[in-house]
Amino acid sequence: MNQLAEQPVHALITGGAGFIGSHLAHFLLEKGQHVHIVDDLSTGSITNLDELRKNPNFGHTIADVQDEPLMAELVDRADVVYHLAAAVGVRLIVESPVRTIETNIGCTEVILRLANKKRKKVVVASTSEVYGKNDSVPFLEDHDLVMGSTSKARWSYACSKAIDEFLALAYHRARGLPVVVVRLFNTVGPRQTGRYGMVLPTFVRQALMGQPITVFGDGKQSRCFSYVGEVVECLYKLAHCPEAEGQVVNVGSRHEITIEDLAVLVKELTESTSEIVKISYDEAYAEGFEDMPRRIPDVSKLEGLIGKSPQMDIAEIAKSVIQHYRER
Ligand code: UDP
């Protein structure tokens, strides 16, 4: 930890009305920081801000991150910028490739350019999607990125985030900008919406409503899910870790589960009568959709930098998501 952690810090979170952004805002406010978020509410939700707005150290602006004059002012006032604004979710990407590419690259360009003018620390959120079709798990940060054809829209997400990473690292190398690139693996928890295809909130909603639980493909594909509360703590710690500057860091859990087993787990925990059904990828997504069979992070770099990694067990995480849905 450097001194930054001990004095009041002004954090700016782009995409702060989103699932991870709003959890991060809560976490930073609890640490005594001042938090301002900017979000255009394209996928974020104003209700994610309900609790936050009661805190006098919280502020928000509903706007597009590509509004450069506005962002210049907000970046000016911040000590640390967490850049989370992005088009996320596989379904959205397949359906809106133009928006994905333009949002992901355009917003990051603006943030890095402005942060560089004032030498502000930036944490750039990237994604495990950038590993693409690489099948040598667990994924290490300097592994090759293996993308599919440009004719398949799903790869536009990974490529746009890879460009974001290149740009962030270029600013660090060429201009000395203090940046950290974090590759987020499957992050789940309360308030995540299943609207854009995310599997855990989708399964929980289906199970609670007695609808079929839809497993795509053969269900043998696996993921490592981490609890959002632990993920945002990692983001905070990386932002305040000088050794992390100029680094790409995986943030995820080591605990692997197949999607089929996840469906069974959700069904059991909710005591649901829903049946678990298999749906082909062609039916679930666009034709020719390529899914990742396994997605496992190597988190030794993260642990070396901040001394921890997300540990919460998937059953505990699923319980918290179920409770959240029941309360709604
Ligand atoms: N998935 C599924 N049923 C659903 C939604 C997703 O079986 O209703 C699968 C999806 O095909 C993928 C896994 O669950 O293999 C994780 O999907 P998600 O979109 O949550 O994350 P990502 O694909 O980015 O890892």
Side-chain angles (χ1 to χ4, degrees), residues 56-186:
N57 294 334
F58 176 78
H60 74 278
T61 306
I62 304 303
D64 186 339
V65 174
Q66 295 183 76
D67 179 344
E68 204 156 333
L70 167 81
M71 291 311 298
E73 232 181 279
L74 297 179
V75 169
D76 251 19
R77 283 193 247 143
D79 301 302
V80 182
V81 182
Y82 294 88
H83 178 44
L84 270 57
V88 288
V90 176
R91 195 169 293 278
L92 182 69
I93 285 137
V94 172
E95 285 166 9
S96 312
V98 174
R99 178 166 151 209
T100 306
I101 299 165
E102 288 186 349
T103 305
N104 290 357
I105 298 177
C107 293
T108 306
E109 275 176 353
V110 168
I111 291 298
L112 291 171
R113 186 160 55 236
L114 295 173
N116 184 57
K117 279 189 191 153
K118 300 289 166 96
R119 321 301 299 161
K120 298 293 170 78
K121 171 68 89 56
V122 189
V123 176
V124 175
S126 183
T127 165
S128 57
E129 275 275 328
V130 298
Y131 290 105
K133 294 194 270 190
N134 192 325
D135 56 7
S136 61
V137 287
F139 297 141
L140 255 175
E141 287 87 349
D142 58 4
H143 273 175
D144 289 343
L145 310 183
V146 186
M147 306 284 165
S149 154
T150 51
S151 62
K152 294 191 174 132
R154 77 110 67 227
W155 298 111
S156 65
Y157 181 55
C159 282
S160 65
K161 295 306 288 186
I163 290 286
D164 287 353
E165 292 195 12
F166 276 125
L167 193 59
L169 296 175
Y171 265 105
H172 176 74
R173 282 194 205 110
R175 316 252 169 106
L177 182 69
V179 294
V180 189
V181 174
V182 290
R183 287 192 185 145
L184 300 175
F185 284 66
N186 297 71

Side-chain angles (χ1 to χ4, degrees), residues 237-309:
K237 292 200 157 174
L238 287 169
H240 297 289
C241 171
E243 295 76 28
E245 286 174 17
Q247 300 280 336
V248 177
V249 188
N250 287 335
V251 173
S253 153
R254 284 199 179 89
H255 309 301
E256 183 181 11
I257 184 169
T258 65
I259 298 305
E260 192 172 42
D261 287 348
L262 182 71
V264 172
L265 177 71
V266 169
K267 184 174 154 80
E268 278 172 10
L269 290 175
T270 52
E271 296 174 352
S272 171
T273 53
S274 294
E275 57 169 333
I276 297 172
V277 295
K278 301 252 166 79
I279 297 187
S280 73
Y281 286 120
D282 284 357
E283 225 181 301
Y285 301 102
E287 208 184 304
F289 182 81
E290 296 172 84
D291 199 15
M292 254 54 75
R294 292 177 83 195
R295 185 177 272 170
I296 301 160
D298 183 309
V299 285
S300 43
K301 193 197 251 189
L302 175 69
E303 289 171 344
L305 287 166
I306 65 166
K308 64 187 302 179
S309 61

